[in-house]
Amino acid sequence: MSILNKVRKYRDDENRLKWEGTFAEYLELVKKRPEIAQTAHSRVYSMIRNAGVEVKDGQKSYNFFNREMFGLESALERLVEEYFHPAARRLDVRKRILLLMGPVSGGKSTIVTMLKRGLEQFSRAEEGAVYAIKGCPMHEDPLHLIPHHLRDEFYEEYGIRIEGSLSPLNTMRLEEEYGGRIEDVMVERIFFSEDRRVGIGTFTPSDPKSQDIADLTGSIDFSTIAEYGSESDPRAYRFDGELNKANRGMMEFQEMLKLDEKFLWHLLSLTQEGNFKAGRFALISADELIVAHTNETEYRSFISNKKNEALHSRIIVIPIPYNLKVSEEERIYEKMIRESDMAHVHIAPHALRAAAIFSILTRLEVPKKQGIDLLKKMRLYDGENVEGFNEVDVAELKKEFPNEGMHGIDPRYVINRISSAIIRKEVPSINALDVLRSLKDGLDQHPSISQEDREKYINYIAVARREYDEIAKNEVQKAFVYSYEESAKHLMNNYLDNVEAFCNKNKIRDPLTGEEMNPDEKLMRSIEEQIGVSENAKKAFREEILIRLSAYARKGQRFDYNSHERLREAIQKKLFADLKDIVKITTSSTTPDESQLKKINEVVATLVDEYGYNTTSANELLRYVGSLLNR
């Protein structure tokens, strides 16, 4: 479908969703679907819940955020369950300004943008439909037409609470246009749009001396004073401030803590009482989520100012720290690269992981728990198995530093340095060493890093380099073993024959001489030691292998090279240990002979076809591993 056809389809869909009718007809809709009369906070919560919630190891994960946010499950669960959920239930939390507080490039503004874009889409879905009094610049809730003295009876009949009063403009329109007959007032379905200023507002502070409160609350239209005769006539007022336009949806305050006091007090009135003062009118009701974001330094400065004490209790602060999982950090970089002009550049496998290891190390606090260092902590946080530690230890580590992740290297710095590496190398391919070198070079230019932190970060780059060295050797090991796949299968079958004889207390027959022999203990231990199976644990490990072998046989399945992950790893390591000299000679030879060249080409082809390298990065990897093995 061409782009123009898609635009037409979108336009047709929106026209089909439009609805217009009298207030009496609207009440029939409300009776059938009470959710269309939900509050702004409830609508946001419904939007998040409707996208789906998954629970893993007691941790909730929200599909709504998962496509953009990585590694912030705990912070997002707190945001949803401690703010949106109780606010949706009309608890007092909804009378607070939501303040997302965290380091730069930590995802605060992304969360707010997702909420805004999400509401735009949700208002086009049946479960997120929003209706307003037709022609109202504030898209006012039609239920405000119900007189206050009848609202208790309305609740008994419909089960819906009505909050807020009819605005001055609609009060006048009700009398003049409809003769006081609320049942005839026209209602329409509206669709949230930040661009059209419907239900979503954004406010950015400028110079406090020149910024007018009218930017928030609207202003008098002086060109109409002569027509209407008074500044207190609502028709002479422009209800076009951000608070007016964000009614029924949400309002983002960028740099809220930099606002002048007169702006903040309007926010307090709106969140606490559900109304604000504008012009020469009675208080104007509004139902909207107020969300702001700031960094930790500005927040600390704000709360230390005695003049702001009244505001403290009216704000709910949700910390949004940096991600602390290496695998999720990689996904952040991948997303940022996809959205940039670097998407065409080949970034060798594990280059982003090396950068992620460095970034996460800068964000972690040194653990107090005995027997655990920063690297083990990093692995535990990423869900890896670390011998001697379990989930309970992870929970204890997180309790040691509740505010962990509020400092360290931000993702934008890493992407900037990757960009620099690409430009400097002037080839369409970069590897982990290029990235780590660029990260190190950039530390001197980073404006907010102290000399102490710089030295610490250089050490973390060295740690990330050592981690990458192991990954690189393992990658080449797997590629060589893949080329020797028949050797690996033969070695595994030989091991299984010996294990079966050992467990059944049998002898095995030599395939060449035919004589019976005891199981080859030396062969079995040389394989088991590769994955740390101790002398005391060897019997249990072999019995486990035999049980797995029998289970496959019962199901009529063949136990092969990939049937047992730890055994496969052990076979690979054993084979690579046996091949190490061949690998060393093959990768480090400056003038390889014909057989060596053939083997190099085979391994390069494996790295390209199976592991995601291109020929440039595969050859660079082989040269690098050759130099490592020769040290």
Side-chain angles (χ1 to χ4, degrees):
M1 188 184 291
S2 74
I3 191 66
L4 289 177
N5 286 336
K6 288 181 179 178
V7 170
R8 290 188 198 102
K9 184 179 182 303
Y10 180 82
R11 189 167 61 237
D12 292 342
D13 289 344
E14 191 155 297
N15 287 331
R16 193 171 61 253
L17 289 172
K18 285 179 180 177
W19 182 91
E20 190 176 299
T22 64
F23 182 65
E25 291 169 324
Y26 171 70
L27 284 183
E28 290 301 313
L29 284 181
V30 171
K31 187 171 281 188
K32 291 176 189 171
R33 293 166 45 221
E35 70 272 9
I36 65 177
Q38 63 190 324
T39 62
H41 289 84
S42 178
R43 190 172 291 108
V44 172
Y45 180 65
S46 297
M47 171 185 73
I48 295 169
R49 295 285 303 185
N50 281 15
V53 184
E54 297 173 12
V55 181
K56 185 180 179 182
D57 299 326
Q59 175 79 68
K60 287 184 179 177
S61 174
Y62 302 92
N63 295 338
F64 177 81
F65 294 108
N66 285 348
R67 66 182 183 275
E68 296 282 338
M69 306 303 299
F70 308 112
L72 294 181
E73 291 84 4
S74 295
L76 292 170
E77 182 176 6
R78 186 175 173 188
L79 171 65
V80 175
E81 299 303 328
E82 293 187 19
Y83 184 78
F84 287 128
H85 191 181
R89 303 282 186 188
R90 294 178 185 265
L91 293 172
D92 216 45
V93 169
R94 71 196 173 103
K95 297 180 179 180
R96 307 285 182 271
I97 297 167
L98 172 62
L99 179 64
L100 305 180
M101 186 265 290
V104 294
S105 192
K108 305 181 297 297
S109 57
T110 302
I111 291 171
V112 176
T113 300
M114 288 188 74
L115 291 173
K116 291 196 289 190
R117 297 295 86 81
L119 277 174
E120 288 179 343
Q121 291 301 315
F122 194 56
S123 69
R124 287 163 173 75
E126 281 306 302
E127 56 270 29
V130 190
Y131 295 82
I133 295 173
K134 187 178 180 183
C136 173
M138 285 182 60
H139 1 279
E140 187 166 7
D141 185 348
L143 294 183
H144 284 181
L145 290 162
I146 302 288
H148 284 271
H149 67 278
L150 294 177
R151 290 185 178 182
D152 288 341
E153 293 176 42
F154 181 85
Y155 176 69
E156 288 175 16
E157 184 178 349
Y158 287 83
I160 297 170
R161 297 186 190 278
I162 303 172
E163 296 176 354
S165 301
L166 198 61
S167 67
L169 179 61
N170 285 323
T171 300
M172 175 178 279
R173 289 179 63 207
L174 176 62
E175 294 303 321
E176 295 195 358
E177 293 179 30
Y178 299 101
R181 297 183 307 277
I182 65 169
E183 63 272 24
D184 293 340
V185 173
M186 294 303 293
V187 175
E188 64 179 348
R189 183 173 177 180
I190 61 170
F191 305 104
F192 288 160
S193 168
E194 185 173 19
D195 293 339
R196 297 174 189 169
R197 301 185 75 212
V198 179
I200 296 175
T202 303
F203 185 82
T204 305
S206 57
D207 182 3
K209 294 176 183 176
S210 62
Q211 191 154 34
D212 191 349
I213 197 70
D215 294 346
L216 273 185
T217 60
S219 59
I220 296 166
D221 185 352
F222 289 101
S223 66
T224 61
I225 297 295
E227 183 182 351
Y228 298 117
S230 169
E231 291 184 15
S232 60
D233 189 310
R235 292 169 299 180
Y237 196 84
R238 296 172 62 89
F239 293 90
D240 61 355
E242 292 300 320
L243 292 181
N244 307 104
K245 293 300 181 180
N247 185 33
R248 312 295 300 288
M250 69 174 282
M251 170 68 148
E252 176 191 7
F253 272 83
Q254 298 175 351
E255 306 293 344
M256 186 191 80
L257 303 186
K258 293 178 180 175
L259 278 172
D260 190 72
E261 285 178 29
K262 62 184 178 183
F263 291 88
L264 290 173
W265 289 114
H266 271 282
L267 292 189
L268 285 182
S269 172
L270 178 58
T271 51
Q272 193 67 27
E273 308 300 335
N275 53 47
F276 61 92
K277 191 80 172 74
R280 299 178 180 180
F281 308 116
L283 292 169
I284 296 174
S285 297
D287 171 32
E288 53 199 84
L289 159 68
I290 305 292
V291 58
H293 42 92
T294 189
N295 60 50
E296 192 174 8
T297 305
E298 284 181 0
Y299 176 69
R300 300 293 170 210
S301 172
F302 174 77
I303 61 173
S304 65
N305 187 340
K306 295 288 183 186
K307 288 165 62 178
N308 297 325
E309 281 183 356
L311 287 161
H312 298 173
S313 62
R314 315 279 177 86
I315 295 174
I316 292 280
V317 180
I318 301 290
I320 306 294
Y322 284 132
N323 156 61
L324 297 176
K325 296 178 181 177
V326 172
S327 55
E328 296 297 315
E329 189 73 6
E330 280 188 86
R331 293 180 67 194
I332 293 172
Y333 301 154
E334 286 165 0
K335 174 198 158 198
M336 294 173 84
I337 287 168
R338 276 197 309 272
E339 294 170 352
S340 73
D341 292 335
M342 296 188 291
H344 66 288
V345 177
H346 173 77
I347 298 176
H350 313 297
L352 298 183
R353 182 169 184 81
I357 289 170
F358 162 68
S359 296
I360 300 300
L361 288 174
T362 68
R363 300 169 190 172
L364 293 175
E365 302 287 349
V366 178
K368 299 173 186 174
K369 191 176 177 69
Q370 201 168 8
I372 189 162
D373 58 17
L374 216 53
L375 263 178
K376 284 180 180 175
K377 182 178 184 178
M378 179 192 79
R379 292 193 175 103
L380 284 168
Y381 274 17
D382 204 29
E384 291 184 39
N385 290 321
V386 176
E387 194 172 350
F389 298 95
N390 54 34
E391 286 296 321
V392 175
D393 296 301
V394 176
E396 287 178 7
L397 285 169
K398 289 179 178 176
K399 285 178 186 173
E400 280 185 351
F401 302 99
N403 294 323
E404 193 171 39
M406 299 299 278
H407 307 281
I409 289 293
D410 63 281
R412 282 199 197 108
Y413 171 76
V414 175
I415 293 299
N416 290 345
R417 298 314 303 166
I418 290 174
S419 304
S420 178
I422 290 168
I423 292 164
R424 184 170 62 240
K425 202 173 178 190
E426 293 183 342
V427 293
S429 172
I430 61 167
N431 58 38
L433 299 178
D434 298 320
V435 172
L436 291 174
R437 195 179 298 117
S438 184
L439 287 170
K440 185 177 180 181
D441 293 345
L443 291 176
D444 290 331
Q445 303 157 25
H446 202 296
S448 60
I449 296 179
S450 65
Q451 184 60 36
E452 182 186 350
D453 281 343
R454 187 174 287 110
E455 290 171 7
K456 191 165 61 174
Y457 291 176
I458 287 172
N459 180 50
Y460 291 152
I461 288 174
V463 173
R465 168 79 175 266
R466 288 195 294 273
E467 288 291 295
Y468 172 69
D469 288 351
E470 291 305 311
I471 293 169
K473 283 189 281 189
N474 188 49
E475 198 88 317
V476 171
Q477 165 189 313
K478 286 191 293 183
F480 263 86
V481 170
Y482 186 87
S483 300
Y484 285 90
E485 190 173 3
E486 288 304 314
S487 303
K489 287 177 181 176
H490 177 73
L491 183 60
M492 189 196 74
N493 289 331
N494 197 358
Y495 174 78
L496 291 176
D497 289 342
N498 281 277
V499 163
E500 198 168 359
F502 171 85
C503 292
N504 294 328
K505 295 184 171 56
N506 292 335
K507 292 187 179 289
I508 60 171
R509 192 176 295 279
D510 188 300
L512 295 176
T513 64
E515 65 177 301
E516 290 189 333
M517 302 180 301
N518 288 324
D520 190 341
E521 183 66 22
K522 187 177 178 184
L523 170 75
M524 289 187 287
R525 290 303 294 140
S526 70
I527 290 171
E528 291 155 0
E529 285 169 353
Q530 300 294 331
I531 52 171
V533 176
S534 66
E535 185 71 26
N536 293 332
K538 70 180 184 183
K539 187 171 182 290
F541 181 75
R542 292 169 189 177
E543 287 173 347
E544 182 206 327
I545 295 289
L546 193 63
I547 290 168
R548 182 79 66 91
L549 202 62
S550 303
Y552 270 73
R554 278 199 310 275
K555 294 174 184 175
Q557 297 173 345
R558 190 170 181 275
F559 186 95
D560 63 20
Y561 183 56
N562 295 307
S563 299
H564 192 287
E565 193 173 326
R566 290 193 73 210
L567 178 57
R568 184 183 66 205
E569 183 188 350
I571 295 288
Q572 283 182 351
K573 287 185 174 179
K574 165 63 177 163
L575 192 58
F576 189 65
D578 295 343
L579 294 170
K580 200 165 188 178
D581 288 338
I582 298 172
V583 174
K584 192 186 294 186
I585 293 165
T586 306
T587 56
S588 59
S589 176
T590 51
T591 54
D593 60 30
E594 190 177 335
S595 65
Q596 289 172 341
L597 200 57
K598 182 182 177 186
K599 181 53 64 182
I600 287 173
N601 289 337
E602 283 179 9
V603 174
V604 166
T606 300
L607 289 169
V608 172
D609 296 339
E610 302 294 327
Y611 299 113
Y613 291 81
N614 67 4
T615 45
T616 303
S617 59
N619 279 297
E620 286 174 344
L621 177 72
L622 282 178
R623 284 195 296 274
Y624 181 62
V625 170
S627 71
L628 288 176
L629 294 175
N630 277 310
R631 286 176 189 171

